């Protein structure tokens, strides 16, 4: 069990550029979550997948944000036309289908800095 | 909708002293409650969780929390603080309206002095 893997760990981009983050969940976990965390705040839920189905996306911050999980394994989070306010850490997490008490396991996050 | 309030954004204790981090929740359904710890530049690690049954929950690193329905609280405690406990602590509630996703509080930074 290698844990939830995220890359890149750090990304600096110019305003207006698109960025994509990748998340590889724990093997055989079929639920995958994306969160955003800004300085001094708790993680903010964005979206989640069960297998390849995106079951909740109404909390994505704007239509510039999109996520995919095409084969039910890894997932990508894309931010188009980045803005300075998008600077944050983006956390991915996963859980097994029958996780007791809905425990989810987090990766180490991907830091985004928009300049 | 579920929500979590963590009272005190910063708590400072001396090494060996009691740690008490406060968490109150709001939930329209019986909640699942969690405490996570985050060290600088890292992801979140589960400390403990309450689902059903015994209201006093023991977790890793000597932490425990008690679910008090009447007070809608889930405070985190540790009898004796260690320097390595210095970190950010987050309380979370499971939100059935968002599948199994967790809703987090704003966090409490714990500082431990020698």
């Amino acid at each position: 069990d290698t844990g939830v893997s995220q890359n890149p760990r750090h990304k600096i981009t110019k305003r207006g550029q698109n960025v994509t983050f990748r998340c590889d969940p724990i093997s055989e976990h079929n639920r995958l979550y994306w969160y955003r965390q800004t300085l001094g705040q708790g993680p903010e839920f964005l979206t989640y997948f069960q297998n390849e189905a995106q079951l909740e996306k109404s909390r994505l911050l704007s239509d510039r944000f999109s996520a995919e999980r095409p084969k039910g394994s890894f997932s990508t989070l894309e931010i188009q036309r980045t803005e300075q306010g998008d600077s944050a850490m983006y956390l991915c997490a996963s859980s097994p289908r029958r996780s007791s008490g809905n425990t989810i396991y987090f990766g180490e996050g991907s830091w985004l800095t928009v300049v | 909708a579920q929500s979590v309030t963590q009272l005190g954004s910063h708590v400072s204790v001396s090494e060996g002293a009691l740690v008490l981090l406060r968490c109150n929740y709001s939930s329209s359904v019986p909640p699942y409650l969690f405490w996570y710890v985050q060290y600088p530049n890292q992801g979140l690690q589960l400390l403990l969780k309450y689902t059903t049954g015994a209201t006093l929950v023991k977790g890793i690193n000597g932490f425990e929390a008690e679910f008090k329905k009447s007070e809608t609280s889930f405070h985190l405690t540790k009898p004796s603080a260690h320097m390595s406990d210095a970190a950010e602590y987050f309380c979370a509630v499971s939100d059935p309206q968002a599948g199994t996703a967790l809703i987090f509080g704003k966090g409490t930074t714990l500082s431990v002095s020698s």
Side-chain angles (χ1 to χ4, degrees), chain B residues 87-99:
Chain B
E88 187 86 13
Y89 291 81
F90 294 96
C91 182
V93 62
S94 180
D95 181 0
Q97 294 181 345

Side-chain angles (χ1 to χ4, degrees), chain B residues 28-43:
Chain B
S28 57
V29 299
Y32 290 168
L33 294 160
F34 304 77
W35 276 99
Y36 280 81
V37 62
Q38 186 176 35
Y39 297 99
N41 299 318
Q42 294 188 21

Side-chain angles (χ1 to χ4, degrees), chain A residues 6-104:
Chain A
Q6 294 188 244
N7 64 81
R9 293 291 316 280
H10 298 89
K11 177 73 175 179
I12 301 174
T13 191
K14 292 183 178 180
R15 188 172 48 188
Q17 298 294 305
N18 299 344
V19 296
T20 299
F21 299 110
R22 174 177 169 130
C23 173
D24 288 88
I26 293 171
S27 179
E28 298 182 356
H29 278 194
N30 68 347
R31 288 178 172 160
L32 186 148
Y33 311 81
W34 285 101
Y35 283 80
R36 183 181 78 158
Q37 185 177 20
T38 54
L39 286 175
Q41 300 294 317
E44 177 184 11
F45 170 67
L46 296 179
T47 187
Y48 95 103
F49 295 84
Q50 181 161 306
N51 299 314
E52 65 275 13
Q54 189 173 13
L55 298 186
E56 172 59 57
K57 57 182 179 181
S58 65
R59 304 190 192 197
L60 284 168
L61 300 164
S62 77
D63 58 6
R64 297 184 297 106
F65 287 72
S66 63
E68 293 183 345
R69 195 182 183 196
K71 297 182 180 180
S73 56
F74 73 92
S75 175
T76 57
L77 176 69
E78 182 182 19
I79 309 173
Q80 296 182 326
R81 305 181 303 282
T82 53
E83 302 173 356
Q84 287 190 323
D86 297 332
S87 296
M89 181 163 68
Y90 292 85
L91 289 161
C92 178
S94 69
S95 69
R97 174 183 291 231
R98 294 187 184 279
S99 175
S100 172
N102 301 340
T103 302
I104 63 175

Side-chain angles (χ1 to χ4, degrees), chain B residues 4-109:
Chain B
V4 169
T5 301
Q6 291 185 241
L7 301 175
S9 59
H10 199 149
V11 170
S12 297
V13 300
S14 299
E15 194 171 21
L18 171 71
V19 175
L20 171 60
L21 305 183
R22 300 178 186 275
C23 172
N24 288 89
Y25 69 90
S26 172
S27 177
S28 57
V29 299
Y32 290 168
L33 294 160
F34 304 77
W35 276 99
Y36 280 81
V37 62
Q38 186 176 35
Y39 297 99
N41 299 318
Q42 294 188 21
L44 284 77
Q45 179 183 7
L46 179 68
L47 276 178
L48 49 79
K49 66 182 180 185
Y50 167 79
T51 55
T52 58
T55 56
L56 182 63
V57 179
K58 295 187 184 297
I60 63 172
N61 300 338
F63 284 94
E64 62 183 37
E66 186 171 10
F67 170 61
K68 292 187 176 181
K69 182 178 179 180
S70 62
E71 298 177 8
T72 61
S73 69
F74 191 57
H75 300 332
L76 181 70
T77 61
K78 182 174 180 178
S80 177
H82 191 271
M83 296 293 285
S84 61
D85 294 327
E88 187 86 13
Y89 291 81
F90 294 96
C91 182
V93 62
S94 180
D95 181 0
Q97 294 181 345
T100 57
L102 301 183
I103 303 303
F104 287 85
K106 293 186 176 182
T108 297
T109 301

